[in-house]
């Protein structure tokens, strides 16, 4: 589920939003549209957030691993010349 953490520029509140195509992004407290998505999750508040963070970390690790493999392959190709 696309749950993201946001910080409101209007009242400074931080909250999680389930963002779907039809979701209007606004602060639940002051209804301000001036909200910013937080890149890092400062604290694990719920099991769903935790699972999401774990999933993100896993896919990031996988991406890094494939980058590493590609780099190694390119090195070997070059090395054989
Ligand atoms: Zn607000």
């Amino acid at each position: 589920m696309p749950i993201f953490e946001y910080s409101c520029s209007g009242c400074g509140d931080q909250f999680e939003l389930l963002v779907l195509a039809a979701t209007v992004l606004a602060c639940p407290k002051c209804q301000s549209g001036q909200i910013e998505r937080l890149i890092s999750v400062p604290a694990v508040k719920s099991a769903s957030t935790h699972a999401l963070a774990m999933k993100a970390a896993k896919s990031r690790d996988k991406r890094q691993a494939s980058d590493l493999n590609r780099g190694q392959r390119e090195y070997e190709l070059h090395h054989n010349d």
Side-chain angles (χ1 to χ4, degrees), residues 8-13 15 27-32 35:
C8 174
S9 307
C11 66
D13 197 31
F15 50 91
C27 173
K29 221 172 179 181
C30 69
Q31 271 72 53
S32 167
I35 60 175

